[in-house]
Amino acid sequence: MTDYAIEARDVAVTYADGTEAVRDVDLLVETGEFFGFLGPNGAGKTTLIKTLVTLLRPTDGTVTVNGFDAVAEPRSVRATVGYMAQETSIDPELTARENLRFACDAYGVPRAKRGDRIDELLELVELTDVADKVADDFSGGMKKRLDAATALVHRPPLVFLDEPTTGLDPAARNRLWEYFRRINDEGTTVFLTTQYLEEADQLCDRLSVIQQGTVVAEGTPEALKRRVGGEILAVELANTDENDRAVAIAREEGLFADGAVIEPSESGVTVTARDARTRGTDLLVALRDAGIDVVGFDVRAPTLDDVFLAVTGDRTGDGSEAGRESVPTDAVSSEAIGTRGHESSGTGASDGNGAAGEVDR
Ligand SMILES: Nc1ncnc2c1ncn2[C@@H]1O[C@H](COP(=O)(O)OP(=O)(O)OP(=O)(O)O)[C@@H](O)[C@H]1O
């Protein structure tokens, strides 16, 4: 039998004002996994996390965390999870050590164990040297590391990280990644929400993409990328007025395999195709024969960015509709990447009764 840290079935969360933030969400996270939950702003990531950590009640469906029912046994759920919220929960007037002591109090860590636990965590997040300095003097990255440590004082088997690296510079982000990897290597299940596709790619064993409250794709980063449908060939033209003519040439029958997606780009033409690499030179020759000047040429493997664009029509992560027209539906069939229907089941009716509200902690 598989051991699940999180089992969510048909979960819907509707706020009191009728906003259906999450609907029809099924989620299975195995114990020990590093699981990513990806989506643009407002997609429903925080709402789902808050539901999993029992700060919100689901309007519909069932949620089991570490074997405990989130509605019937919220205390047991809370005792076995750590939660790093988007806004840091540390007190800037307290030192790093005092913040951790405070967290030990809040989570009921036995007194005899606190000293060692705190020292261990300070070391893990590399704050031992500044343990007795007030957090107010810390950089953004240091504050985030301290915050992450406070979520772990009770050694939870499952930790939720809600956009933990937003606003950090790449160096600070990298250090946090190291830290998250380490706790996962030591056996902690990690549930991470992020808008950074690279972050999900670097860290996650498996991920779900959520859009407008519904899971639209799921799989390992590699499988999701593979299913984009080959490699991506970008051709840069000297004169972008010729983009459409170049697209027409690239689309000529027989140049690329069936299912290729050929689109104008800002600087020329982009081809997503299984044979993008091998047939790329044929395209260059065809363009030259047509008198179109090529100034750059690049073939690359798909990134999660391409997956995200394909399933959400949004490369910007801002939830805008930009690019929706260009979803390469041929190369990325809905079925191929596990896309689910967008239809609401009608559950979580927005009548105000049973609507999600913050639950007292
Ligand atoms: N307390 C609330 N009352 C009503 N609607 C809410 C409430 N909190 C969030 N929402 C709405 O629910 C939807 C999902 O929001 P949520 O914060 O879960 O998204 P998110 O994916 O975490 O976004 P972000 O990346 O911006 O944090 C949005 O439409 C949001 O406006």
Side-chain angles (χ1 to χ4, degrees), residues 15-22 39-48 50 56 86 162-163 193 195 210 356 358:
Y15 284 104
D17 66 358
T19 305
E20 282 187 299
V22 167
N41 281 328
K45 302 181 296 296
T46 299
T47 301
L48 188 80
K50 285 188 171 174
L56 288 175
Q86 262 180 43
D162 193 359
E163 300 191 14
T193 74
Q195 294 184 33
I210 186 172
E358 303 276 339

Side-chain angles (χ1 to χ4, degrees), residues 55-176:
L55 291 174
L56 288 175
R57 281 199 188 92
T59 320
D60 214 334
T62 57
V63 176
T64 309
V65 176
N66 292 326
F68 301 109
D69 184 281
V71 174
E73 304 164 286
R75 280 176 190 279
S76 303
V77 171
R78 289 177 201 182
T80 56
V81 302
Y83 172 41
M84 180 177 170
Q86 262 180 43
E87 305 77 31
T88 64
S89 59
I90 58 172
D91 186 334
E93 289 177 13
L94 300 182
T95 67
R97 196 184 300 279
E98 286 165 346
N99 267 288
L100 287 168
R101 235 181 253 142
F102 185 77
C104 285
D105 267 344
Y107 281 111
V109 176
R111 283 187 185 279
K113 295 193 170 155
R114 291 185 188 179
D116 287 349
R117 187 77 52 87
I118 289 171
D119 286 344
E120 195 182 292
L121 282 168
L122 285 168
E123 193 137 327
L124 190 70
V125 295
E126 298 172 78
L127 293 175
T128 306
D129 292 352
V130 290
D132 299 309
K133 294 207 157 63
V134 289
D136 207 19
D137 294 339
F138 290 180
S139 67
M142 289 161 81
K143 282 182 183 148
K144 286 280 191 183
R145 297 210 302 274
L146 177 59
D147 198 30
T150 63
L152 292 166
V153 290
H154 54 311
R155 292 230 173 105
L158 167 63
V159 65
F160 291 90
L161 308 170
D162 193 359
E163 300 191 14
T165 61
T166 297
L168 296 184
D169 63 51
R173 191 172 295 163
N174 268 315
R175 279 180 95 169
L176 266 177

